[in-house]
Amino acid sequence: MRYFLKKIISLIITLLLVSFLAFLTFQLISGDPVTQMLGTEYTEEMAAHLRAQLGLDDPFPIRYFRWLGGFITGDFGTSYSYNVPVSSLLSDKLPVTGLLSAFSFVLLVSISIPLGIWLAAHEDSIPDKIFTALNQIAMSIPPFFLGIMMTLVFGLMLHLFVPGNYISYQENFGASLAYLLFPAIAIAIPKIAMTVKLFKSSLHAEYRRDYVRTALSRGSTRRRILYSHVLRNAIIPVVTFLALTIPEIVAGSIIIEQVFTVPGLGRLLVSSILNRDYPVVCAIVMLIAALVILMNFLADILYRIIDPRIRIDQEASK
Amino acid sequence: MKRYHIYTKAGGILSAVMILLIVVAMFWTPYDATATNSAAKLSPPSLAHLLGTDNLGRDILSRVLEGAGTTLLIAVLTVAMGAVLGILIGAFTGYYGGPLDNILMRICDTITAFPSFLLALAIVSILGSGTYHVVLALGLLFIPSFARIVRGEYARAATQAYVDNAKLMGAGALRIMFVHILPNTKSVLLSAIAIGFNNAVLAEASMSYLGIGVQPPDPSLGRMLSESQTYLLSAPWYAISAGVVIILLILGFTLLGEGLAKESGQNA
């Protein structure tokens, strides 16, 4: 229990640290938002009035805590370029990116785990050799280039989907999911290649352990050893790895959304960066940062839950 | 004679060929990469234009090679920045240890956990885009991963006999760190550098693709890809050329990095 408490405290400290850094960069270094909001023609009184209205004259710690308090309660400030609350901009886009990332993650898990097991059971077979060679190339393909090629082949040549014609999930959930299939695959393929590679080497290392030799000498079949012993141990690093890929998938979807013109967080982020709309950029970066930190936390916890040996080792070493 | 891993050989040859082509392109390209030719817009690959031409009739081979040059320049500068500062931080924290070591490594862990491309976007959003801002953003982000690797090596070396011997012979801490220990971290460092190159190429291409990285008139593979999307069906060779060059660059560095890591006995 003490372990979890310690982890939770360190989680909160990290979150605070990151929020402070984000505040520092976006609120202070980014310059005076007033001149940006007012454009080129404004009077000093107008600027002073707006500054007071936005609370920019208050001392620094007060501004930080007000900003943080707003953040926790879902008030991310006002967008400079759209002049609406950032939260209302995000609430439109967040589900789209969430859906795409979740879809991609489901593909990643449901393909890489069975594939890894199958390839490990058929080591050095022809499919295994072909896969090993392809794997290295798949890991080197930038997801956005994969997306462009998929647009060309499946969209423009085979007409399986209409590029740029995203259907909102509120309008038709099935059609929306169908449009997101190709972007999700584009994000998932390089990750699948990495996961299978890790899983295979983990399985391989586990097969060389002494207990496998013992089990074999007692007449167990390789298949039985795989399912009842090896798999449980070999999957542990893979689960941790998968938890840590979630932020990468979200980051990947930012680029892929641009390729497939999916109106999600990514497109909002890119246009906000180009327009220097800092409240929006800051909110998106903070959201993803929180996701990263939470996933790291989760990976640590998962690691201990699925592998009691680690728990015992750590408690013994105290 | 040292035997190299097959990955090291393949990656080394591929990277060497790419670098050679890029260096040649700095002095000579088949066509002027910026010269437009309205008579030969979007023409498919031919003997005159090996990779075809783009929407303004510019020779794609020349443009791709120049774009790869920008990418490589950014990769070299960012990796150099990350490696030099990372080695300095890693060497001091690893050799001396202590509370500062703990704090710095915690910070490094937090930074490396983030998708580096996203943090680079955040930094560039404040600095503004452009080649050198991309270098600065990516270089900063590469420091922690180098620092962590180097720190581990130094922490291990600090307890070894050859370091004790050097101390007994009166060598100063700086001399021990950079003359005695540093050469021993070579194999680990080399693979980290190769992987850093690969990350830099990918991050730069992604950022430029989004329009937030390298700005015109500097040539860029990522921006070529985003331009080529408009002509995807009428001129697929445009997108394919730019994309394949990125893949070849990344593949070469990844293979090199993995091969070197395997040779030094890491489980990468």
Side-chain angles (χ1 to χ4, degrees):
Chain A
M1 225 41 235
R2 254 189 67 198
Y3 173 80
F4 288 101
L5 211 65
K6 248 167 91 180
K7 275 282 159 195
I8 288 169
I9 291 171
S10 109
L11 171 78
I12 294 169
I13 293 174
T14 323
L15 280 171
L16 281 176
L17 206 80
V18 170
S19 75
F20 187 70
L21 276 178
F23 175 76
L24 217 60
T25 17
F26 285 103
Q27 301 287 306
L28 298 181
I29 304 171
S30 63
D32 192 356
V34 170
T35 47
Q36 298 215 5
M37 288 169 85
L38 291 173
T40 46
E41 282 178 37
Y42 61 93
T43 60
E44 257 325 295
E45 291 102 81
M46 274 165 75
H49 180 69
L50 191 61
R51 221 170 264 137
Q53 203 184 356
L54 293 171
L56 293 177
D57 297 326
D58 294 333
F60 174 68
I62 294 179
R63 283 179 60 195
Y64 170 65
F65 283 109
R66 190 171 50 215
W67 176 82
L68 187 67
F71 218 96
I72 292 166
T73 52
D75 171 16
F76 305 134
T78 309
S79 156
Y80 297 162
S81 40
Y82 299 99
N83 229 337
V84 291
V86 175
S87 51
S88 77
L89 279 178
L90 291 184
S91 64
D92 283 358
K93 315 282 180 192
L94 203 56
V96 179
T97 301
L99 191 64
L100 176 57
S101 305
F103 195 5
S104 180
F105 187 71
V106 169
L107 284 176
L108 166 63
V109 174
S110 57
I111 293 174
S112 58
I113 301 290
L115 191 61
I117 294 174
W118 193 86
L119 288 174
H122 298 82
E123 216 175 341
D124 290 327
S125 65
I126 291 168
D128 182 43
K129 281 183 178 144
I130 294 174
F131 187 84
T132 311
L134 282 181
N135 210 19
Q136 207 64 39
I137 298 171
M139 287 196 303
S140 304
I141 302 178
F144 63 98
F145 179 60
L146 199 60
I148 294 174
M149 287 299 107
M150 287 170 86
T151 315
L152 174 65
V153 175
F154 299 113
L156 299 174
M157 288 160 79
L158 299 176
H159 301 290
L160 292 181
F161 73 104
V162 186
N165 189 23
Y166 170 75
I167 297 145
S168 165
Y169 66 98
Q170 285 147 324
E171 219 173 282
N172 183 341
F173 191 77
S176 180
L177 219 51
Y179 186 83
L180 291 179
L181 175 66
F182 290 103
I185 293 175
I187 302 170
I189 283 181
K191 300 278 173 228
I192 290 173
M194 288 176 208
T195 313
V196 171
K197 191 175 179 194
L198 175 73
F199 195 20
K200 265 179 63 188
S201 74
S202 172
L203 280 167
H204 193 73
E206 202 59 36
Y207 266 128
R208 277 184 306 192
R209 302 275 287 261
D210 288 343
Y211 73 82
V212 174
R213 201 180 47 201
T214 311
L216 274 176
S217 69
R218 291 176 55 169
S220 285
T221 59
R222 263 184 96 81
R223 179 176 297 263
R224 199 183 132 72
I225 296 171
L226 170 71
Y227 287 110
S228 52
H229 304 290
V230 168
L231 200 54
R232 276 184 207 200
N233 292 326
I235 208 156
I236 292 167
V238 180
V239 172
T240 322
F241 177 79
L242 285 175
L244 297 179
T245 52
I246 292 176
E248 301 260 337
I249 286 179
V250 176
S253 69
I254 285 172
I255 316 174
I256 291 296
E257 282 171 14
Q258 203 74 11
V259 179
F260 288 90
T261 53
V262 175
L265 274 190
R267 284 179 68 86
L268 182 66
L269 177 65
V270 171
S271 67
S272 305
I273 290 177
L274 293 173
N275 296 329
R276 306 193 156 240
D277 194 344
Y278 293 118
V280 181
V281 179
C282 178
I284 296 176
V285 170
M286 271 295 289
L287 278 178
I288 295 179
L291 183 70
V292 170
I293 295 164
L294 278 175
M295 282 303 143
N296 271 306
F297 173 72
L298 205 69
D300 270 358
I301 301 286
L302 266 178
Y303 202 55
R304 280 174 69 92
I305 291 174
I306 47 179
D307 192 355
R309 289 173 304 179
I310 298 163
R311 202 155 56 215
I312 293 161
D313 276 357
Q314 278 176 358
E315 265 147 30
S317 66
K318 256 178 205 158
Chain B
M1 183 66 198
K2 191 179 171 187
R3 286 181 63 100
Y4 290 101
H5 192 274
I6 174 95
Y7 279 3
T8 318
K9 284 186 210 159
I13 292 170
L14 184 54
S15 304
V17 170
M18 293 305 287
I19 292 171
L20 186 72
L21 284 175
I22 290 168
V23 171
V24 168
M26 284 175 185
F27 302 102
W28 177 84
T29 46
Y31 290 85
D32 180 353
T34 51
T36 55
N37 178 1
S38 53
K41 277 181 191 168
L42 295 175
S43 59
S46 62
L47 279 180
H49 297 279
L50 284 179
L51 297 177
T53 60
D54 71 359
N55 51 317
L56 297 171
R58 293 175 291 191
D59 180 53
I60 290 176
L61 179 63
S62 312
R63 295 199 67 206
V64 161
L65 287 175
E66 291 215 335
T70 313
T71 303
L72 193 69
L73 175 75
I74 290 180
V76 168
L77 291 178
T78 48
V79 170
M81 181 174 160
V84 169
L85 293 175
I87 288 171
L88 283 177
I89 294 173
F92 279 94
T93 53
Y95 189 72
Y96 288 111
L100 186 67
D101 171 40
N102 263 326
I103 296 169
L104 277 174
M105 283 309 123
R106 261 294 169 75
I107 296 174
C108 286
D109 284 346
T110 316
I111 296 177
T112 39
F114 285 94
S116 58
F117 148 77
L118 195 77
L119 281 187
L121 277 191
I123 297 176
V124 168
S125 78
I126 290 160
L127 294 175
S129 46
T131 307
Y132 289 99
H133 288 159
V134 173
V135 170
L136 197 61
L138 289 176
L140 274 175
L141 294 177
F142 285 173
I143 296 173
S145 58
F146 280 106
R148 196 152 65 153
I149 292 165
V150 172
R151 182 206 163 268
E153 291 292 302
Y154 270 71
R156 212 176 53 203
T159 59
Q160 279 180 4
Y162 75 91
V163 172
D164 285 340
N165 287 346
K167 273 186 202 156
L168 287 174
M169 288 170 77
L174 282 178
R175 190 178 164 80
I176 291 175
M177 274 191 254
F178 298 105
V179 179
H180 295 282
I181 304 180
L182 192 60
N184 285 305
T185 63
K186 192 182 78 187
S187 57
V188 178
L189 211 56
L190 279 179
S191 75
I193 286 174
I195 292 164
F197 265 109
N198 151 28
N199 289 336
V201 170
L202 185 60
E204 186 274 321
S206 312
M207 287 165 82
S208 302
Y209 172 75
L210 294 179
I212 304 173
V214 176
Q215 297 297 317
D218 288 352
S220 148
L221 292 173
R223 220 183 44 251
M224 283 180 71
L225 267 177
S226 109
E227 283 165 16
S228 71
Q229 256 190 295
T230 324
Y231 313 98
L232 202 49
L233 193 58
S234 52
W237 54 85
Y238 191 179
I240 293 171
S241 312
V244 168
V245 172
I246 297 176
I247 293 176
L248 289 178
L249 279 173
I250 294 177
L251 188 62
F253 292 130
T254 328
L255 286 174
L256 198 57
E258 278 191 34
L260 289 167
K262 283 200 169 122
E263 279 165 25
S264 67
Q266 302 168 38
N267 284 323

